[in-house]
């Protein structure tokens, strides 16, 4: 069965197509004692809705041979389709959408802490990542690039815990970033670490599911969109379902989770596009015939993989210690690369699921978040697809309060006019940038004619540096002269590119030699806010600094009031310090949290710098925090109100809470 790719099909048409296809496959494979385990998708919205109606229409029957091992898993969703079929979503597509959420202009929230791309860049730089690499990871033009996705998520998973000398705001942000890194680590390792056993893979997937469940229950749509939550939980659920089925159908066999998803289908289409030479596009009749031949080729290569089914130049290695060593090889891992014990009879599903939950509880407590799993289990109406209880499945039963849908920015579907952004030559070359065979053949001809030629050149002129073929240099340098057109015809005829052309992040700092004072990302600053019809002073943490269309990590204090400067920030929660009042001693302190729904954008003209004292926290032993005095805060508020008396309507607005506007218990 072939489906058109014009994105105009309906959910009903998708459902009917998948239903007929699955029934035909079931009938044809029944004679060979095979069965359809799952139906995979890359995350298309219409196909997702079709899969919901086919793979979530009934609860797993108690007489099913896989009911016993799966029903013993706490907070596990047991809904499936006919013949216990489940929906699956491709791992790489899911992880790419996690990366796209990291890069959204608005940022995201984790345990109430706002994280922007500038904040991520700040922490990557502090961990030793060079500026150009950080810019490439956080501003890729191609949001479908798998290698960049792996590098960014793995870089975040490698962030260490904060150091004692870090600022209080850096420590607070690093706490949640380390927790986020544990999610990415447990999602990437099962598919990229070739030495893991099936038992370890299931444990890490369980840990990822429990961590995402806890954080989505807390932050909802501020953390990730509902479609991404549904897809990643369905993906993990499908792995457990498939392993349970394999234990029944082939107890002595092995199971490769890397074969799940849509990678196999994409390889078949790759064969289809190369079967007729330059005629890579086909109508439906041609495509049907080519798919039949491609499937036959796939069957032959499955029986004889030594005949050419392996990826070229593939030498899969375990994940390295740092993201800089990740290459395109990690996008082409196959069963032959795996060296761990993948026998299904070595796995006890309940043990794997429970150990993953214990790991998640440990990581949540380390991040100062109370694990919610015990209360969810006692309630009885929660599971990984019902994070808010009431047996209401996300997406299936509509959106709950606080949830949100994916935006074009996160899907990577939006297009912008082409730009002239280019990479530096030294960063453009990777481990696999080898010349074509035609270029090497030409080099041989020159050598045979005794003509002196230097086909390999050094990028920095050094004798010991890595040499690159001239053909590769010319290819990289000329890439800026051409831009891939959009694949959408309506956008292509309007001159739009295939990928989002991101803003320039090259500028690191803008300094003034006559004024060494500057404001940096994650520094505290002052602003007036409108709240409940009045104006109050607020202390906020800087999330990003933008000059025109360029984001910078720091800015000279002399330049913050320029008309082309804009700040993004989040209001910090202040509380009175515990202890007796003493004159000339700060009596307010930051408690390490932020006001809910307090992320805002404001012109630099409305912002003032502040230099708070760093004192021992009166509520948290062994930690330091920012401290302020009431007299200083009142003085700042009076001066800023007088300065902006005619601009009060342009001030950002925030809702009143129990802790903002700042006040004592007596009001």
């Amino acid at each position: 069965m072939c489906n058109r790719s014009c994105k105009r099909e309906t959910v009903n048409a998708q459902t009917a197509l998948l239903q007929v296809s699955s029934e035909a496959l079931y009938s044809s494979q029944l004679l060979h004692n095979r069965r359809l385990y799952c139906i995979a998708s890359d995350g298309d919205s219409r196909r997702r809705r079709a899969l919901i109606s086919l793979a979530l229409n009934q609860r797993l029957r108690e007489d099913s041979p896989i009911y016993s091992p799966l029903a013993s898993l706490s907070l596990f969703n047991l809904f499936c389709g006919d013949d216990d079929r489940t929906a699956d979503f491709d791992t790489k597509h899911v992880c790419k959408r996690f990366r796209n959420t990291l890069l959204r202009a608005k940022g995201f929230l984790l345990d109430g802490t706002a994280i922007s791309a500038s904040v991520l860049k700040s922490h990557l730089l502090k961990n030793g990542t060079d500026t150009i690499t950080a810019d490439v990871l956080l501003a890729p033009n191609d949001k479908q690039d798998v290698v960049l996705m792996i590098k960014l998520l793995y870089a975040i998973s490698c962030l260490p815990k904060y150091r004692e000398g870090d600022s209080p705001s850096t420590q607070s942000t690093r706490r949640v970033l380390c927790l986020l890194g544990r999610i990415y680590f447990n999602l990437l390792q099962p598919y990229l670490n070739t030495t893991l056993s099936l038992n370890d893979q299931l444990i890490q997937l369980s840990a990822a599911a429990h961590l995402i469940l806890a954080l989505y229950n807390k932050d909802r749509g501020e953390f990730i969109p509902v479609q991404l939550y549904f897809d990643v939980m369905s993906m993990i659920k499908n792995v457990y379902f498939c392993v349970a089925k394999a234990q029944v159908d082939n107890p002595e066999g092995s199971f490769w989770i890397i074969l799940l998803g849509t990678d196999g289908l994409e390889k078949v289409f790759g064969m289809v596009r190369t079967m007729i030479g330059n005629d890579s596009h086909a109508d439906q009749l041609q495509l049907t015939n080519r798919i039949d031949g491609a499937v036959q080729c796939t069957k032959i290569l499955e029986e004889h993989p030594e005949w050419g089914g392996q990826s070229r130049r593939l030498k899969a290695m375990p994940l390295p210690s740092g993201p800089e060593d990740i290459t395109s090889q990690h996008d082409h891992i196959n069963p032959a690369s795996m060296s761990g014990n993948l026998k299904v009879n070595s796995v006890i599903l309940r043990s794997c699921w429970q150990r993953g939950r214990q790991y998640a509880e440990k990581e949540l407590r380390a991040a100062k978040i109370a694990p919610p799993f015990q209360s969810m289990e006692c309630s009885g109406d929660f599971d990984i697809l019902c994070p808010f209880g009431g047996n209401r499945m996300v997406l299936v039963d509509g959106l709950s309060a606080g949830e949100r849908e994916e935006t074009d920015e996160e899907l990577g579907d939006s297009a912008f006019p082409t730009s002239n952004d280019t990479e530096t030559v030294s960063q453009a070359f990777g481990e696999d940038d080898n010349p074509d065979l035609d270029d090497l053949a030409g080099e041989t001809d020159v050598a045979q004619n005794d003509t002196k030629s230097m086909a390999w050149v050094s990028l920095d002129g050094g004798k010991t540096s890595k040499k690159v073929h001239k053909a590769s240099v010319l290819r990289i340098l000329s890439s800026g002269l051409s831009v891939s057109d959009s694949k959408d015809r309506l956008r292509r005829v309007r001159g739009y590119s295939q990928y989002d052309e991101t803003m320039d992040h090259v500028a690191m700092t803008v300094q003034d030699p006559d004024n060494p004072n500057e404001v940096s990302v994650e520094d505290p600053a002052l602003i007036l806010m409108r709240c409940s019809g009045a104006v109050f002073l607020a202390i906020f943490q800087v999330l990003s600094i933008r000059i025109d269309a360029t984001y910078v990590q720091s800015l000279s204090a002399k330049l913050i009031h320029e008309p082309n400067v804009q700040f993004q920030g989040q209001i910090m929660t202040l509380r009175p310090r515990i202890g007796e009042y003493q004159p000339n001693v700060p009596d307010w302190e930051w408690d390490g949290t932020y006001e809910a729904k307090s992320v805002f954008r404001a012109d630099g003209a409305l912002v003032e710098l502040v230099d708070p004292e760093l004192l021992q926290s009166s509520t948290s032993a062994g930690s330091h925090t920012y401290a302020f005095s009431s007299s200083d805060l009142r003085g700042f508020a009076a001066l800023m109100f007088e300065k902006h008396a005619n601009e009060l309507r342009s001030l950002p607005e925030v809702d009143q809470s129990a802790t903002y506007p700042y006040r004592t218990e007596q009001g």
Side-chain angles (χ1 to χ4, degrees), residues 543-564:
L543 299 179
S544 66
I545 309 170
R546 192 176 73 179
I547 303 178
D548 292 325
T550 301
Y551 286 86
V552 296
Q553 291 297 110
S554 60
L555 181 66
S556 171
K558 186 178 180 180
L559 302 176
I560 66 172
H561 294 154
E562 293 297 319
N564 60 342

Side-chain angles (χ1 to χ4, degrees), residues 96-110 113-120 137-140 143 152 184 219-228 402-412 414 416 500 502-503 505 543-544 546 551 568 599 601:
K96 283 187 288 187
R97 287 156 57 201
F98 267 107
R99 190 271 308 270
N100 294 344
T101 299
L102 290 176
L103 302 181
R104 64 194 295 249
K106 188 178 179 180
F108 65 98
L109 258 64
L110 195 62
T113 301
I115 307 294
S116 65
S118 295
V119 171
L120 286 175
L137 292 180
L138 293 171
K143 291 188 176 181
L152 177 57
Y184 298 154
D219 292 311
R220 305 198 176 201
E222 299 290 348
F223 173 40
I224 55 176
V226 62
Q227 289 91 345
L228 178 54
E403 290 188 297
R404 68 174 180 86
E405 296 188 341
E406 277 182 317
T407 62
D408 289 341
E409 184 182 14
E410 292 168 298
L411 291 171
S414 58
F416 295 91
D500 293 355
T502 53
M503 292 176 292
H505 283 248
L543 299 179
S544 66
R546 192 176 73 179
Y551 286 86
Q568 182 185 21
V599 177
R601 291 185 181 273

Side-chain angles (χ1 to χ4, degrees), residues 313-360:
R313 298 197 306 269
L314 178 61
K315 184 180 178 183
M317 302 290 289
L319 279 173
S321 58
E324 64 278 357
D325 297 324
I326 292 176
T327 67
S328 60
Q329 295 172 354
H330 291 90
D331 186 24
H332 301 287
I333 294 177
N334 56 32
S337 311
M338 310 301 291
S339 59
N341 179 14
L342 303 180
K343 295 290 184 180
V344 295
N345 58 10
S346 65
V347 169
I348 301 176
L349 293 180
R350 180 174 180 177
S351 175
C352 295
W353 187 256
Q354 191 62 26
R355 288 180 62 185
R357 169 173 166 172
Q358 293 171 355
Y359 175 91

Side-chain angles (χ1 to χ4, degrees), residues 125-161:
L125 295 175
K126 292 175 183 177
N127 196 39
T129 304
D130 62 87
T131 305
I132 295 179
T133 300
D135 285 328
V136 171
L137 292 180
L138 293 171
N141 289 336
D142 183 1
K143 291 188 176 181
Q144 304 303 322
D145 192 305
V146 175
V147 177
L148 282 179
M149 173 271 292
I150 296 175
K151 285 185 175 183
L152 177 57
L153 300 191
Y154 193 61
I156 295 175
S157 73
C158 292
L159 289 176
K161 293 184 177 180

Side-chain angles (χ1 to χ4, degrees), residues 24 80 94 168 217 326 340 372 453 470 567 570 587 663:
C80 58
V94 167
N217 172 267
I326 292 176
S453 174
K470 287 181 178 179
F567 283 81
Q570 184 179 24
D587 52 346
R663 55 194 183 277

Side-chain angles (χ1 to χ4, degrees), residues 208-482:
H210 283 91
L211 287 172
I212 296 171
L213 171 63
L215 294 175
Y216 193 75
N217 172 267
K218 185 178 182 66
D219 292 311
R220 305 198 176 201
E222 299 290 348
F223 173 40
I224 55 176
V226 62
Q227 289 91 345
L228 178 54
Y229 180 84
F230 178 85
D231 291 357
V232 68
M233 287 303 190
S234 297
M235 178 191 79
I236 296 173
K237 167 188 168 181
N238 177 67
V239 173
Y240 272 79
F241 258 84
C242 289
V243 172
K245 295 172 187 175
Q247 288 179 328
V248 173
D249 297 338
N250 187 15
E252 301 300 324
S254 300
F255 191 87
W256 291 270
I257 66 172
I258 59 172
L259 295 180
L260 297 172
T262 60
D263 249 10
L265 182 63
E266 292 175 359
K267 290 179 181 178
V268 170
F269 275 103
M271 292 183 183
V272 169
R273 292 179 63 88
T274 58
M275 289 173 68
I276 316 294
N278 59 356
D279 185 17
S280 59
H281 297 286
D283 58 32
Q284 187 163 351
L285 178 60
Q286 291 174 316
L287 184 59
T288 304
N289 295 332
R290 293 184 191 180
I291 284 181
D292 181 64
V295 170
Q296 293 183 35
C297 292
T298 302
K299 289 182 178 179
I300 294 173
L301 292 176
E302 285 179 352
E303 297 177 0
H304 302 280
E306 69 278 3
W307 288 1
Q310 302 88 353
S311 301
R312 293 187 303 146
R313 298 197 306 269
L314 178 61
K315 184 180 178 183
M317 302 290 289
L319 279 173
S321 58
E324 64 278 357
D325 297 324
I326 292 176
T327 67
S328 60
Q329 295 172 354
H330 291 90
D331 186 24
H332 301 287
I333 294 177
N334 56 32
S337 311
M338 310 301 291
S339 59
N341 179 14
L342 303 180
K343 295 290 184 180
V344 295
N345 58 10
S346 65
V347 169
I348 301 176
L349 293 180
R350 180 174 180 177
S351 175
C352 295
W353 187 256
Q354 191 62 26
R355 288 180 62 185
R357 169 173 166 172
Q358 293 171 355
Y359 175 91
E361 290 176 336
K362 177 183 176 182
E363 293 297 332
L364 288 170
R365 292 191 181 99
K368 302 178 182 178
I369 300 176
F373 311 126
Q374 187 64 40
S375 59
M376 289 180 175
E377 194 173 1
C378 293
S379 176
D381 53 4
F382 285 82
D383 62 48
I384 57 174
L385 287 181
C386 303
F388 310 122
N391 291 319
R392 286 178 52 87
M393 278 193 277
V394 292
L395 203 64
V396 179
D397 297 316
L399 296 181
S400 299
E403 290 188 297
R404 68 174 180 86
E405 296 188 341
E406 277 182 317
T407 62
D408 289 341
E409 184 182 14
E410 292 168 298
L411 291 171
D413 290 339
S414 58
F416 295 91
T418 58
S419 69
N420 294 322
D421 293 344
T422 58
E423 284 185 56
T424 61
V425 175
S426 60
Q427 288 294 320
F429 292 104
E431 190 173 306
D432 297 330
D433 287 308
N434 295 322
D436 295 333
L437 291 177
D438 292 342
D439 296 317
L440 293 178
E443 180 182 349
T444 303
D445 293 338
V446 172
Q448 292 175 349
N449 294 330
D450 296 329
T451 304
K452 291 184 179 181
S453 174
M454 295 294 294
W456 298 83
V457 297
S458 174
L459 294 180
D460 57 6
K463 295 182 178 180
T464 60
S465 63
K466 177 183 176 181
K467 294 184 180 298
V468 180
H469 199 277
K470 287 181 178 179
S472 298
V473 175
L474 293 175
R475 175 173 57 82
I476 296 298
L477 291 177
S478 62
S479 63
L481 303 178
S482 60

Side-chain angles (χ1 to χ4, degrees), residues 643-654:
K643 179 180 179 181
H644 303 294
N646 298 326
E647 305 171 330
L648 299 183
R649 290 184 178 274
S650 63
L651 297 176
E653 189 171 4
V654 67

